[in-house]
Amino acid sequence: MLTLLQADSTQLLIQEAAAPEKMSLIKMAVAGGWLMLVLLLLSIIAIYIIGSRWWAIRQAGKGDPHLMGNIRELVRSGKTDSAIRLCKESPVPAARLIEKGLERIGRPLNDIQTAVENVANIEIAKLEKGLPMLATVAGGAPMIGFLGTVIGMIQAFYNMASAGSNIDITLLSDGIYTAMVTTVGGLFVGIIAYFGYNWLTARINDIVFKMENDTIGLMDLLGQSSANTSKEN
C-alpha cells in the first residue's frame, strides 16, 4: 500500500514538473520587448485624456435646465444686469454665450451673433482639448504593434538562419513573443483610445447642440426686444 502511494506521489510530481508554466501579464509584457514601454506610455496618455475630458464634459453638462427661461423673463422685465449675473453663476458653456450676447445688447444683431459664435468656438475648443492626441493614439498604437510584429519576425528568422542546421524551436520563441505580444498590446491600446474618442465626441456634440439651441433662443429674444424698442420709439 505504501509503495502504491509513493508511486502515485512520484507520478504526480513528474506531471507537475512537466506541466507548462503559466505566463503572467507581466512576463508577457516583458517578452514583448521595449516597444511595450511605448505602448504603456500611450495607454497612460489615453486614459488620462479620457478621464480629464469625461470630467470636463460632465461639469459642462450640469446646470439649471431652466436657465434660458429665467434669463428670458429677466430680459423681458428689463433686468439685464440680473440676467448677466445669473449667467456668471452658471458653470455651463451655454451661459458664457448668453452672457456675451447680453453684454452686447444695443448693438446690431449681426455683431452680437458674431461675438456669440466666437465665444462658442472657444468653449468648444476647451471641451475638445486633448482629443486630437487621443485620435493619434487610436491610430498610432496598432501601427506600433505592427512594427513590433515585423521586428519580432525578423528576429525569429535571423535566429533560425544563424542556427544553420541546428534549428530549435526555442530559437524562434523570443521573436514570436515579440511579434504576438506587441500586436495584442497595440490593438488593446488602440481600441481603448478609439472607443474613448468616439464616446467623448458624441458627448461633446450633445453639448454643442444644446449651445446652438440656446444661441437661437437668445437671438430670438434679442430680436424681439429690439422690435419692441423700435415700436415704443
Side-chain angles (χ1 to χ4, degrees):
M1 185 68 179
L2 181 60
T3 305
L4 292 175
L5 291 176
Q6 291 177 347
D8 292 340
S9 300
T10 303
Q11 185 177 3
L12 182 60
L13 291 174
I14 294 173
Q15 291 177 354
E16 290 179 352
E21 182 183 359
K22 293 183 179 180
M23 177 174 284
S24 63
L25 291 177
I26 296 177
K27 290 183 178 179
M28 187 180 298
V30 172
W34 62 270
L35 284 176
M36 295 301 294
L37 296 176
V38 179
L39 293 174
L40 176 61
L41 177 62
L42 291 179
S43 66
I44 294 174
I45 293 174
I47 293 173
Y48 172 77
I49 293 174
I50 292 173
S52 62
R53 290 304 89 203
W54 169 80
W55 179 256
I57 293 171
R58 183 173 181 270
Q59 294 298 111
K62 291 182 177 181
D64 185 5
H66 306 291
L67 176 64
M68 193 62 204
N70 295 334
I71 290 175
R72 186 178 291 107
E73 294 298 326
L74 290 172
V75 172
R76 288 175 178 175
S77 301
K79 301 178 180 178
T80 305
D81 294 338
S82 298
I84 294 175
R85 190 179 308 111
L86 182 62
C87 291
K88 291 182 181 295
E89 295 173 354
S90 178
V92 297
R96 308 285 79 77
L97 277 62
I98 299 172
E99 178 185 351
K100 180 61 67 175
L102 295 177
E103 291 175 348
R104 297 278 191 291
I105 287 181
R107 297 186 180 183
L109 291 179
N110 290 336
D111 294 345
I112 297 176
Q113 185 172 1
T114 301
V116 170
E117 290 176 352
N118 291 336
V119 175
N121 292 331
I122 294 174
E123 294 296 327
I124 294 173
K126 290 179 180 179
L127 294 175
E128 293 179 343
K129 182 180 180 182
L131 290 188
M133 183 61 189
L134 188 61
T136 302
V137 173
M143 295 180 65
I144 293 176
F146 180 69
L147 175 62
T149 302
V150 175
I151 293 175
M153 296 309 298
I154 292 174
Q155 180 181 352
F157 282 113
Y158 177 79
N159 292 338
M160 186 171 60
S162 300
S165 59
N166 299 322
I167 298 178
D168 187 357
I169 190 63
T170 57
L171 297 174
L172 306 178
S173 60
D174 291 341
I176 294 175
Y177 276 142
T178 301
M180 296 297 101
V181 172
T182 53
T183 301
V184 172
L187 289 174
F188 181 75
V189 176
I191 288 171
I192 292 177
Y194 177 77
F195 281 101
Y197 175 84
N198 285 281
W199 176 70
L200 292 174
T201 301
R203 293 290 305 274
I204 292 174
N205 287 337
D206 293 339
I207 295 176
V208 171
F209 179 75
K210 186 178 184 306
M211 291 168 60
E212 291 176 349
N213 284 339
D214 291 340
T215 300
I216 293 173
L218 173 65
M219 298 309 299
D220 290 341
L221 176 62
L222 297 180
Q224 292 174 3
S225 300
S226 299
N228 293 334
T229 303
S230 299
K231 289 180 180 179
E232 292 176 358
N233 294 334

